[in-house]
Amino acid sequence: MKKLIFTLSLLIITVTLLTAQKKIINLPDLPGYVTLKCDFHMHTVFSDGQVWPLNRVDEAIRDGLDVIAITDHLEYTPKKDFIPSDFNAAWKICETYAIERNLILVHGTEITRKMPPGHMNALFIKDASLIAKDSVWDNYEEAIKQGAFLQWNHPGWKAQEVDGIPKLYDMHKRLIKNGWLHGIEVFNDSDFYPLAFTICEQNNIALMGNSDVHAIISERYKDPEHRPMTLVFAKERSHDSLKEAMFAGRTMVYFDNNLAAKEEYAKPFFYQCISVGKPYFQNDKTIFFEVTNKSDVPFFLINGIKDAPASINLAANSVTRIAVSKKVTSSLVYDVSNVITGEKKVLRIELKY
Amino acid sequence: MKKLIFTLSLLIITVTLLTAQKKIINLPDLPGYVTLKCDFHMHTVFSDGQVWPLNRVDEAIRDGLDVIAITDHLEYTPKKDFIPSDFNAAWKICETYAIERNLILVHGTEITRKMPPGHMNALFIKDASLIAKDSVWDNYEEAIKQGAFLQWNHPGWKAQEVDGIPKLYDMHKRLIKNGWLHGIEVFNDSDFYPLAFTICEQNNIALMGNSDVHAIISERYKDPEHRPMTLVFAKERSHDSLKEAMFAGRTMVYFDNNLAAKEEYAKPFFYQCISVGKPYFQNDKTIFFEVTNKSDVPFFLINGIKDAPASINLAANSVTRIAVSKKVTSSLVYDVSNVITGEKKVLRIELKY
Amino acid sequence: MKKLIFTLSLLIITVTLLTAQKKIINLPDLPGYVTLKCDFHMHTVFSDGQVWPLNRVDEAIRDGLDVIAITDHLEYTPKKDFIPSDFNAAWKICETYAIERNLILVHGTEITRKMPPGHMNALFIKDASLIAKDSVWDNYEEAIKQGAFLQWNHPGWKAQEVDGIPKLYDMHKRLIKNGWLHGIEVFNDSDFYPLAFTICEQNNIALMGNSDVHAIISERYKDPEHRPMTLVFAKERSHDSLKEAMFAGRTMVYFDNNLAAKEEYAKPFFYQCISVGKPYFQNDKTIFFEVTNKSDVPFFLINGIKDAPASINLAANSVTRIAVSKKVTSSLVYDVSNVITGEKKVLRIELKY
Amino acid sequence: MKKLIFTLSLLIITVTLLTAQKKIINLPDLPGYVTLKCDFHMHTVFSDGQVWPLNRVDEAIRDGLDVIAITDHLEYTPKKDFIPSDFNAAWKICETYAIERNLILVHGTEITRKMPPGHMNALFIKDASLIAKDSVWDNYEEAIKQGAFLQWNHPGWKAQEVDGIPKLYDMHKRLIKNGWLHGIEVFNDSDFYPLAFTICEQNNIALMGNSDVHAIISERYKDPEHRPMTLVFAKERSHDSLKEAMFAGRTMVYFDNNLAAKEEYAKPFFYQCISVGKPYFQNDKTIFFEVTNKSDVPFFLINGIKDAPASINLAANSVTRIAVSKKVTSSLVYDVSNVITGEKKVLRIELKY
């Protein structure tokens, strides 16, 4: 009897130990850049979140992230009867803890206003308490003074825009004119805003995607799901390189099984994920070759050319066998339905075998 | 393309909605009693826990519990630089929220001292702030004055008892003599203290088992694992009946795949879990019948009699086919290795077919 | 080192043992009837299936079924170069094996023709080899002579009906006129044929739903998914009662999270699955009560009345809390979107609290 | 209603499509060699297995294997009443099917005798029917004549050796003397034979590990478990290179979370799996660095040196943070408890940072 009990107990402990480590996210680097996996939007008990700030660091490490920003609301602190306002609390609690765990922690806060202008994250700030001012424009001015990257959060959030469609109000135009609007969330939690794509393209703004988590990451995204994240193509894995890359707009958004990015990043990224093998066999009519997808992202290829398979699913971390008629001559062209490169555009790719 | 994206998103939302409900734990009632599933030991950001108190209510509901007590430490408040001490905070935050969700919330606190006497939960109290006193005996006296049920927590915790073996110190004997020690955790988190069984038996003390969770329940106990819990056999599902049952010692501890209880509760509980069918077939040598285990607890039967199967696993929520020699006459006797009825004793049962 | 290795090995064995048993499917009986869980359509290596017949019995037991029929094709035996035709092989191999495991095995075969009339299962036959005749009508005649229940399989199978819509051809009308068409699959594998519902209703034919599995059940339906099945409401759990109930049309189809049945069975079945508790709390505006769904089927309630929740998901094996305005007076009416009672009809139910 | 139903159905189909592909097993190549993942022992309905041969190919591809041998018994054909003996059936059925799927199929058979000499697989044969002879020695002679690699299966199988310990009988010594015993299973199904390690070392025999599957791979090894396999270090991915490597003894056995190999292969393999990062941070007392384990095998490091962590778990596909006292000077030495290099030996490794 004893033996059995201890076997069972042992098991639980072992599993716990093994899973409390940083998992490897299989997403490639781009030539000349390292791909940093980032989440720039999350909350703790210091605003309307449900956990202590250190949990956000632990969750990020387990998820394999390189970078997070904790962005508690300046203006919305529903727990203030029990927890006094300290807009830099999460930063103070996590700074050393994150360094010791090799996680890049970006100092941030959320400027939380009605639409317009809605919610805006100030990232790379120095002191959130100085940003807390009555006028929203004063908020922005102080943030910019501190060197902030301003990110417009969930621009079509239905609680603020009933039709779910992002709109550029005067305040946004003024920010853009000043060069103060650096990023827009095209994805937040579970909402995708295709129109934000166009706004970003037209105004040279970085595409962002974040979790905006308030509760527990592992309960919201059950393995093997993953939280939405912003991929940043940085010159190296450091706080400064990250910042440079973000202001330069070298980002991609990864949500569910989808990628969203400007084509200049989406295209090389796709080709870094996959490799096309030489044909390993042929018979009278058919040539057989394999496509290896060594990334965590499946690719759904559609709109195949004549005589080729109409669609192909390149499952994540898998090798897909492709049998193609000999009538086709060594190259297949497809749309990748889940690699979004514009408001109404997906990536078009070629498989040469 | 759009269609695909929205299909994926929809999926996640649906799953989330469906799993945020109270699951049914398949554990039977005893004749005349309702089995309340309880966890009397847990922490929040108001001491050294990681979550906001409401999360403990949400977790409990999802897990299908009937009762919880949030028991933040009186003497250990490592977050006090950010969160001022308020020993009744969790209670104030959760009281109405729990009522609206049909969860019985027991007002509690943890009196946190070196060994002896170690840690002690005071349950069914009225005001934790009055209990916070310098002398530990004054702590107990005030708790008792408020009508508390005193539970000795993890009595062999290795941080306080290097050999892991619970010991009755003078303070404990004095509590027992006064009739003030009402429960002892024979199981806490992942530690089992078989010796506590004997102390409980000799002194008419209730067996308790709790999670003592500080972090996230769903990360610590991954589905289909469950947190440790105390089963209380109450006359009805109410706060008062619960209290009566606990002082009367009608409890059972459920941890991993094990049950621990006095035989007077373990035996009828086992027979409520299973039913033995009439033989449905026989041939020259063998009789076939089925045992249905309609509970979430598997039962590991060992030490079978001659000519019978040496061991039988009655898997949870399953029907087990038993093929037995005709030499055996319509009854099998087994030890149930995972139903513990004493420090060195397991339940012995009979299957009549 | 040794210890570690043996711990790991042990684990695998334990898990295997525990999962190889008959699981309990939580589906209620109807008053006066026992609900038999059945799959009347499957294949083995004796036609175009991939497994040995005994595997079909093992799979069924693990899945918690009461009844199966193995229905290898009479006319399609692609493995005949290696396995000589024996139309009763699966029956001979499984008969005793099933009896010893308390599984009701129905002797069956599939009469496999082009459309019309398409594929037809003959169930409750005595000798499949006698049914193998050149003329399809002779097939039917011999089957009927043996007492068969004739089931029209996948009537809108796209390989035979490009538009996916079942059509009554002359042959079918002749069968119906003779009283020889006893069941139609409204669900097969992953295809639902709503129109078959109407044909069944107009001609007093039993609704059937089956897996038509050729490969491996556990690979096709990953836990917690389940294979499609026909629920038969029989007077008792026996071969003869099953047959009586099927000819009487007392069936329901259970596929994915859906039920399809005539309303006379769907309505009492729903009310056997759920129970509505008395309100446990109310405040100024709202009454709170719980609905317990003790079945494996979630129920998706939609089209709620004014002031009531627009939709409610009664998750499987769960308790759902309902908060309703006091303006509503103790009864809620909903459509159950996943309990299908006709070609274009779902069940309408009432929750009284 | 319709919408819901079709959403659900779609889901199932999508999942099925996505998982039916060749997964990538994360195991590195050795310098100069490609690591072929192989299973040289399995059965089908042509002896005592439960599936049609093509299923073995499908299972292997899904599992990411490069090579299989189907090895039905010559002497044990319990299904012969229904399936006539054809010792080359599996080969004939699978040959083209495997080629078209880029799986290397090795022609094999199992010579199935009482102990001594027990069961022996003949691999790389040309015609199994010629090997089926009365005398076991004649079996071997014919197999060798065909160029076979002879593998002694489960040498300590308890059905044949009650104590579970492999023993070299005269027949085995004779085979060894002739140079006819080329491989021994140190692992089969769930049994590990450490003593076989010594026999292999002393007689220059390849270590082998195989599933010996009779039933369904995915039911026996539930994701993320994997079947036991032999890793072969071949000069290239081809049938001939595989054969050369096996006769040269360049193999490793991968079972559960364990590796077993001669040290000359185990050591470079380990260092191909992991990479040690430069320290990323230090404080007064502690240096922090990361170890990346990009393989599917976790490594359990034990017996750490003074002032270093006593044990470290390098979880699979994860990055492990190591905090080490500055007293230690830039190198840690450990035993890897799950990389077995001899009957009583594990690999000793060094982490330089």
Side-chain angles (χ1 to χ4, degrees):
Chain A
M1 176 204 80
K2 295 278 168 40
K3 241 177 91 184
L4 187 61
I5 294 164
F6 286 101
T7 304
L8 292 169
S9 300
L10 194 69
L11 174 61
I12 292 169
I13 294 167
T14 312
V15 170
T16 307
L17 279 171
L18 295 182
T19 57
Q21 286 169 296
K22 190 196 288 192
K23 80 166 183 187
I24 297 174
I25 302 177
N26 289 314
L27 293 176
D29 292 331
L30 290 191
Y33 297 112
V34 56
T35 300
L36 302 182
K37 295 103 192 172
C38 315
D39 185 356
F40 295 109
H41 194 168
M42 60 188 65
H43 298 275
T44 74
V45 292
F46 287 97
S47 63
D48 57 346
Q50 300 178 13
V51 301
W52 188 243
L54 295 180
N55 277 49
R56 296 298 180 214
V57 176
D58 289 342
E59 288 176 335
I61 288 167
R62 246 171 359 211
D63 283 358
L65 297 188
D66 297 291
V67 180
I68 63 167
I70 301 178
T71 55
D72 280 312
H73 301 287
L74 287 183
E75 299 87 347
Y76 183 58
T77 51
K79 297 177 172 66
K80 61 173 174 273
D81 291 349
F82 295 94
I83 304 183
S85 277
D86 177 345
F87 299 128
N88 294 308
W91 172 258
K92 288 186 275 188
I93 290 164
C94 294
E95 188 181 6
T96 304
Y97 190 82
I99 288 172
E100 287 182 1
R101 281 156 185 78
N102 204 18
L103 182 82
I104 298 174
L105 183 69
V106 169
H107 197 162
T109 193
E110 183 164 13
I111 302 164
T112 312
R113 304 286 175 144
K114 282 183 301 187
M115 185 70 81
H119 296 193
M120 200 82 71
N121 274 1
L123 305 170
F124 302 107
I125 62 171
K126 293 188 167 47
D127 184 344
S129 66
L130 298 178
I131 298 173
K133 293 172 189 286
D134 287 347
S135 141
V136 67
W137 192 258
D138 289 352
N139 291 158
Y140 299 153
E141 208 156 35
E142 171 61 27
I144 293 295
K145 203 173 122 191
Q146 294 186 18
F149 177 102
L150 281 186
Q151 167 191 282
W152 186 12
N153 301 336
H154 43 72
W157 185 31
K158 288 198 170 168
Q160 296 194 326
E161 287 286 8
V162 278
D163 62 2
I165 296 174
K167 289 167 195 63
L168 278 184
Y169 293 91
D170 281 349
M171 183 74 86
H172 303 118
K173 291 176 184 161
R174 206 171 141 199
L175 281 170
I176 289 172
K177 202 176 146 207
N178 275 26
W180 290 4
L181 187 56
H182 307 107
I184 303 180
E185 287 183 342
V186 296
F187 197 85
N188 171 290
D189 184 50
S190 57
D191 292 334
F192 180 45
Y193 307 108
L195 184 63
F197 228 111
T198 301
I199 300 173
C200 287
E201 275 176 352
Q202 291 175 344
N203 298 287
N204 203 21
I205 293 170
L207 298 166
M208 310 294 287
N210 300 304
S211 71
D212 198 2
V213 66
H214 288 69
I216 313 296
I217 279 285
S218 65
E219 294 182 351
R220 178 68 184 76
Y221 306 97
K222 309 222 165 181
D223 188 45
E225 288 170 40
H226 65 89
R227 73 168 93 191
M229 59 184 87
T230 306
L231 307 180
V232 179
F233 305 112
K235 288 178 186 156
E236 55 177 41
R237 191 188 188 282
S238 72
H239 184 274
D240 290 351
S241 281
L242 168 76
K243 194 170 171 179
E244 183 276 331
M246 285 171 67
F247 278 103
R250 295 199 302 275
T251 63
M252 175 177 274
V253 180
Y254 174 36
F255 62 100
D256 296 332
N257 282 330
N258 306 295
L259 296 172
K262 290 167 191 160
E263 185 169 334
E264 64 183 296
Y265 306 121
K267 183 167 272 183
F269 193 87
F270 173 83
Y271 289 114
Q272 290 292 109
C273 291
I274 66 133
S275 56
V276 183
K278 289 285 136 210
Y280 60 82
F281 181 67
Q282 50 182 290
N283 56 30
D284 286 358
K285 295 185 180 164
T286 310
I287 292 180
F288 299 84
F289 66 98
E290 291 177 330
V291 178
T292 299
N293 176 3
K294 51 190 176 299
S295 82
D296 288 348
V297 190
F299 294 108
F300 305 107
L301 312 187
I302 59 171
N303 298 332
I305 59 175
K306 191 169 170 298
D307 292 320
S311 66
I312 299 175
N313 289 344
L314 300 175
N317 296 302
S318 293
V319 177
T320 303
R321 179 178 78 115
I322 299 178
V324 65
S325 161
K326 282 185 159 175
K327 291 180 195 162
V328 179
T329 46
S330 72
S331 164
L332 301 177
V333 180
Y334 286 96
D335 289 324
V336 190
S337 71
N338 62 324
V339 179
I340 303 153
T341 54
E343 191 185 333
K344 296 175 180 177
K345 225 172 43 175
V346 297
L347 185 67
R348 188 144 183 93
I349 58 90
E350 192 179 6
L351 303 177
K352 290 184 201 171
Y353 53 90
Chain B
M1 176 203 80
K2 294 278 167 43
K3 241 180 88 184
L4 187 62
I5 293 164
F6 286 103
T7 304
L8 292 169
S9 300
L10 194 71
L11 174 61
I12 292 169
I13 294 167
T14 312
V15 171
T16 307
L17 279 172
L18 295 183
T19 57
Q21 287 170 294
K22 189 195 289 191
K23 80 167 184 188
I24 297 174
I25 303 177
N26 290 314
L27 292 176
D29 293 330
L30 290 191
Y33 298 111
V34 55
T35 299
L36 302 182
K37 296 102 192 173
C38 316
D39 186 355
F40 295 108
H41 194 169
M42 60 187 66
H43 297 272
T44 75
V45 291
F46 287 96
S47 63
D48 56 347
Q50 301 177 14
V51 300
W52 188 245
L54 295 180
N55 278 49
R56 295 300 180 213
V57 175
D58 289 342
E59 290 176 334
I61 287 167
R62 244 168 2 209
D63 284 0
L65 296 188
D66 298 291
V67 180
I68 63 166
I70 301 179
T71 56
D72 280 311
H73 300 287
L74 286 184
E75 298 87 348
Y76 183 57
T77 50
K79 297 176 173 65
K80 62 173 171 274
D81 290 350
F82 295 93
I83 303 183
S85 278
D86 177 346
F87 299 128
N88 294 308
W91 172 257
K92 287 185 277 187
I93 291 164
C94 294
E95 189 181 6
T96 303
Y97 190 83
I99 288 172
E100 287 182 1
R101 280 154 185 79
N102 204 17
L103 182 82
I104 299 173
L105 183 69
V106 169
H107 197 164
T109 193
E110 182 164 15
I111 302 164
T112 312
R113 304 286 175 143
K114 283 183 300 186
M115 185 71 80
H119 296 192
M120 201 81 72
N121 274 2
L123 305 171
F124 302 106
I125 62 172
K126 293 185 168 47
D127 184 344
S129 66
L130 297 178
I131 297 173
K133 294 170 187 287
D134 287 348
S135 142
V136 67
W137 192 257
D138 289 351
N139 289 158
Y140 299 153
E141 208 155 37
E142 172 60 27
I144 293 295
K145 202 173 122 191
Q146 294 186 17
F149 177 101
L150 281 186
Q151 166 190 283
W152 185 12
N153 300 336
H154 44 72
W157 186 30
K158 286 195 173 172
Q160 296 195 324
E161 288 284 8
V162 278
D163 61 4
I165 296 174
K167 288 168 195 64
L168 278 185
Y169 293 92
D170 280 350
M171 183 74 85
H172 303 118
K173 290 177 184 160
R174 206 172 139 199
L175 281 169
I176 289 172
K177 202 176 146 209
N178 275 25
W180 289 6
L181 187 57
H182 308 106
I184 303 181
E185 286 184 342
V186 297
F187 196 86
N188 173 291
D189 183 51
S190 59
D191 293 333
F192 180 44
Y193 308 108
L195 184 62
F197 229 111
T198 301
I199 300 173
C200 287
E201 274 176 352
Q202 290 174 344
N203 299 286
N204 202 22
I205 293 170
L207 298 167
M208 309 295 286
N210 300 305
S211 71
D212 199 0
V213 65
H214 288 69
I216 312 298
I217 279 284
S218 65
E219 294 182 353
R220 178 67 184 78
Y221 305 98
K222 309 220 166 182
D223 188 46
E225 289 171 39
H226 65 90
R227 74 168 94 191
M229 59 185 88
T230 306
L231 308 180
V232 179
F233 305 112
K235 286 177 187 157
E236 55 177 41
R237 192 187 188 281
S238 73
H239 185 274
D240 289 351
S241 281
L242 167 76
K243 193 169 172 180
E244 183 275 332
M246 285 171 67
F247 278 103
R250 294 198 303 273
T251 64
M252 174 177 273
V253 180
Y254 175 36
F255 60 101
D256 297 331
N257 282 330
N258 307 295
L259 295 172
K262 292 168 190 159
E263 186 170 333
E264 63 183 296
Y265 305 120
K267 182 166 273 182
F269 193 87
F270 173 83
Y271 288 115
Q272 292 291 109
C273 291
I274 66 133
S275 57
V276 183
K278 289 287 135 207
Y280 59 83
F281 181 66
Q282 51 182 292
N283 57 29
D284 285 357
K285 293 186 181 165
T286 307
I287 293 178
F288 300 84
F289 66 98
E290 291 177 330
V291 178
T292 299
N293 176 4
K294 53 191 172 301
S295 81
D296 288 348
V297 190
F299 294 106
F300 305 107
L301 312 188
I302 58 171
N303 299 330
I305 58 175
K306 190 167 170 300
D307 292 320
S311 66
I312 299 174
N313 288 344
L314 300 175
N317 296 302
S318 293
V319 176
T320 303
R321 179 178 79 115
I322 299 177
V324 65
S325 162
K326 282 186 158 172
K327 290 180 195 162
V328 179
T329 45
S330 73
S331 163
L332 300 177
V333 181
Y334 285 97
D335 289 324
V336 189
S337 71
N338 62 324
V339 179
I340 303 153
T341 53
E343 190 184 335
K344 297 176 179 176
K345 224 170 46 173
V346 296
L347 185 68
R348 189 145 184 91
I349 58 90
E350 192 178 6
L351 304 177
K352 289 185 200 168
Y353 52 92
Chain C
M1 178 203 78
K2 296 277 171 41
K3 240 178 91 184
L4 187 63
I5 293 163
F6 285 102
T7 303
L8 293 169
S9 301
L10 195 69
L11 175 61
I12 292 168
I13 294 166
T14 311
V15 171
T16 308
L17 279 171
L18 296 182
T19 56
Q21 287 171 295
K22 189 196 288 191
K23 81 167 182 186
I24 297 174
I25 302 177
N26 289 313
L27 292 177
D29 291 331
L30 289 190
Y33 298 111
V34 56
T35 299
L36 302 183
K37 296 103 192 172
C38 316
D39 185 355
F40 295 109
H41 194 168
M42 60 188 65
H43 297 274
T44 75
V45 291
F46 287 96
S47 62
D48 57 346
Q50 301 177 13
V51 300
W52 189 243
L54 295 180
N55 278 48
R56 296 300 179 212
V57 175
D58 289 342
E59 290 176 334
I61 288 167
R62 246 171 359 212
D63 284 358
L65 296 188
D66 297 291
V67 180
I68 63 167
I70 301 178
T71 54
D72 280 311
H73 300 288
L74 286 183
E75 298 87 348
Y76 183 57
T77 51
K79 297 177 172 65
K80 61 174 174 273
D81 291 349
F82 295 95
I83 303 184
S85 277
D86 177 346
F87 300 127
N88 294 308
W91 172 258
K92 288 186 272 185
I93 291 164
C94 294
E95 187 180 9
T96 303
Y97 189 82
I99 289 171
E100 287 182 359
R101 281 154 185 80
N102 204 19
L103 182 83
I104 298 172
L105 183 69
V106 169
H107 197 162
T109 193
E110 183 164 12
I111 300 164
T112 312
R113 302 289 174 140
K114 281 184 300 185
M115 185 72 80
H119 297 193
M120 201 81 71
N121 273 1
L123 305 171
F124 302 106
I125 61 170
K126 292 187 168 49
D127 184 345
S129 65
L130 297 179
I131 298 173
K133 294 172 187 288
D134 287 347
S135 140
V136 67
W137 193 258
D138 289 351
N139 291 157
Y140 300 152
E141 208 158 36
E142 171 61 27
I144 293 295
K145 201 173 124 193
Q146 294 186 19
F149 177 103
L150 280 187
Q151 167 190 283
W152 186 12
N153 300 337
H154 43 73
W157 186 33
K158 287 195 173 170
Q160 296 194 326
E161 287 285 8
V162 278
D163 61 4
I165 297 175
K167 289 168 195 62
L168 278 185
Y169 293 91
D170 281 349
M171 181 76 85
H172 303 117
K173 291 176 184 162
R174 204 171 142 200
L175 280 169
I176 289 171
K177 202 177 145 208
N178 274 26
W180 288 6
L181 188 56
H182 308 105
I184 303 181
E185 286 184 341
V186 296
F187 197 86
N188 172 290
D189 183 49
S190 57
D191 293 334
F192 180 45
Y193 307 108
L195 184 62
F197 229 111
T198 302
I199 301 174
C200 287
E201 276 175 351
Q202 291 174 341
N203 299 288
N204 203 21
I205 293 170
L207 298 166
M208 310 294 286
N210 300 303
S211 71
D212 198 1
V213 66
H214 289 69
I216 313 296
I217 279 284
S218 64
E219 295 182 351
R220 179 67 184 78
Y221 306 97
K222 308 220 166 182
D223 188 47
E225 288 170 40
H226 65 90
R227 75 167 94 191
M229 58 185 88
T230 306
L231 308 180
V232 179
F233 305 112
K235 288 179 185 156
E236 56 178 40
R237 191 188 190 282
S238 72
H239 185 275
D240 288 352
S241 281
L242 167 76
K243 194 169 172 180
E244 183 276 333
M246 285 171 67
F247 277 103
R250 294 198 303 274
T251 64
M252 174 178 274
V253 180
Y254 175 36
F255 61 101
D256 297 332
N257 282 329
N258 307 296
L259 296 172
K262 291 168 190 159
E263 186 169 332
E264 63 182 299
Y265 305 120
K267 183 166 271 183
F269 193 86
F270 174 82
Y271 288 115
Q272 291 293 108
C273 290
I274 64 132
S275 56
V276 183
K278 288 286 135 208
Y280 60 83
F281 181 68
Q282 51 182 291
N283 56 29
D284 285 358
K285 293 186 182 163
T286 308
I287 292 179
F288 299 85
F289 67 97
E290 292 177 331
V291 179
T292 299
N293 176 3
K294 50 190 178 300
S295 82
D296 288 348
V297 190
F299 294 106
F300 305 108
L301 311 187
I302 59 170
N303 299 331
I305 58 174
K306 192 168 169 299
D307 293 319
S311 66
I312 300 173
N313 288 344
L314 301 175
N317 296 301
S318 294
V319 177
T320 302
R321 179 178 78 114
I322 298 178
V324 66
S325 162
K326 283 185 159 175
K327 290 179 196 163
V328 178
T329 45
S330 72
S331 164
L332 301 177
V333 180
Y334 285 97
D335 288 325
V336 190
S337 71
N338 62 323
V339 179
I340 303 153
T341 53
E343 190 184 335
K344 296 175 179 178
K345 224 172 43 174
V346 297
L347 185 66
R348 188 142 184 94
I349 59 90
E350 192 179 7
L351 303 178
K352 290 184 199 169
Y353 53 92
Chain D
M1 178 201 82
K2 295 278 167 42
K3 239 178 92 185
L4 187 63
I5 293 164
F6 286 103
T7 304
L8 293 169
S9 299
L10 194 70
L11 174 61
I12 292 169
I13 294 166
T14 312
V15 171
T16 307
L17 279 171
L18 295 182
T19 57
Q21 286 169 293
K22 191 197 286 192
K23 79 167 184 187
I24 297 175
I25 302 177
N26 289 313
L27 292 176
D29 291 332
L30 290 190
Y33 298 111
V34 57
T35 299
L36 302 182
K37 296 102 190 173
C38 316
D39 185 355
F40 295 109
H41 193 167
M42 60 188 66
H43 298 274
T44 75
V45 292
F46 287 97
S47 61
D48 56 346
Q50 300 177 14
V51 301
W52 188 244
L54 295 180
N55 277 49
R56 296 301 180 211
V57 175
D58 289 341
E59 289 176 334
I61 287 166
R62 248 173 355 213
D63 284 358
L65 297 188
D66 298 290
V67 180
I68 63 166
I70 301 178
T71 54
D72 280 310
H73 301 287
L74 286 183
E75 299 87 348
Y76 182 59
T77 50
K79 297 175 173 64
K80 61 173 172 272
D81 290 350
F82 295 94
I83 303 183
S85 278
D86 177 345
F87 300 127
N88 294 308
W91 172 257
K92 287 185 275 187
I93 291 164
C94 294
E95 188 180 8
T96 303
Y97 190 82
I99 288 172
E100 287 183 359
R101 281 154 184 79
N102 205 16
L103 182 83
I104 299 173
L105 183 69
V106 169
H107 196 163
T109 193
E110 183 164 12
I111 302 164
T112 311
R113 303 288 175 142
K114 281 183 300 183
M115 185 71 81
H119 297 193
M120 201 82 70
N121 273 2
L123 305 171
F124 302 106
I125 61 171
K126 292 185 169 50
D127 184 345
S129 66
L130 297 178
I131 297 173
K133 294 171 187 284
D134 288 347
S135 141
V136 66
W137 193 258
D138 288 351
N139 290 157
Y140 300 152
E141 209 157 35
E142 172 60 27
I144 293 295
K145 201 172 123 193
Q146 295 186 19
F149 177 102
L150 281 186
Q151 166 191 283
W152 186 13
N153 300 336
H154 44 71
W157 186 31
K158 286 196 173 171
Q160 295 194 327
E161 287 286 7
V162 278
D163 62 3
I165 297 174
K167 288 168 196 65
L168 278 184
Y169 293 91
D170 281 350
M171 182 74 85
H172 304 119
K173 290 176 185 161
R174 206 171 140 200
L175 280 169
I176 289 172
K177 202 175 146 210
N178 275 25
W180 288 6
L181 188 57
H182 307 106
I184 304 181
E185 287 184 341
V186 296
F187 196 86
N188 172 290
D189 183 51
S190 56
D191 293 333
F192 181 44
Y193 307 107
L195 185 63
F197 228 111
T198 302
I199 300 173
C200 286
E201 275 175 351
Q202 290 174 346
N203 299 288
N204 203 20
I205 293 169
L207 298 166
M208 309 295 285
N210 300 306
S211 71
D212 198 0
V213 65
H214 288 69
I216 312 297
I217 278 285
S218 65
E219 295 182 352
R220 178 67 184 78
Y221 306 97
K222 307 220 167 184
D223 188 45
E225 289 171 39
H226 65 90
R227 72 168 96 191
M229 58 184 89
T230 306
L231 308 180
V232 179
F233 306 112
K235 287 176 187 159
E236 55 177 41
R237 191 188 188 282
S238 73
H239 185 274
D240 289 352
S241 281
L242 167 76
K243 192 169 172 180
E244 182 276 332
M246 285 171 67
F247 277 103
R250 294 197 303 275
T251 63
M252 174 178 275
V253 179
Y254 175 35
F255 61 101
D256 296 332
N257 282 330
N258 307 295
L259 296 173
K262 291 167 189 161
E263 185 169 334
E264 64 183 298
Y265 305 120
K267 183 167 271 183
F269 193 87
F270 173 82
Y271 288 115
Q272 291 292 108
C273 290
I274 66 133
S275 58
V276 183
K278 288 287 135 207
Y280 60 82
F281 181 67
Q282 52 181 291
N283 57 29
D284 286 358
K285 295 187 179 161
T286 308
I287 292 179
F288 299 85
F289 66 98
E290 291 177 330
V291 179
T292 299
N293 176 4
K294 51 190 176 300
S295 81
D296 288 348
V297 190
F299 294 107
F300 305 107
L301 312 187
I302 58 169
N303 299 331
I305 58 174
K306 194 170 167 297
D307 293 319
S311 66
I312 298 174
N313 288 344
L314 300 175
N317 295 302
S318 294
V319 177
T320 303
R321 179 178 79 114
I322 299 178
V324 65
S325 163
K326 282 185 158 174
K327 291 180 195 162
V328 178
T329 46
S330 74
S331 164
L332 301 176
V333 180
Y334 286 96
D335 289 324
V336 189
S337 71
N338 62 324
V339 179
I340 304 154
T341 53
E343 190 184 334
K344 296 174 178 178
K345 226 171 42 172
V346 297
L347 185 67
R348 189 144 183 92
I349 59 90
E350 192 179 6
L351 302 177
K352 290 185 201 169
Y353 53 92

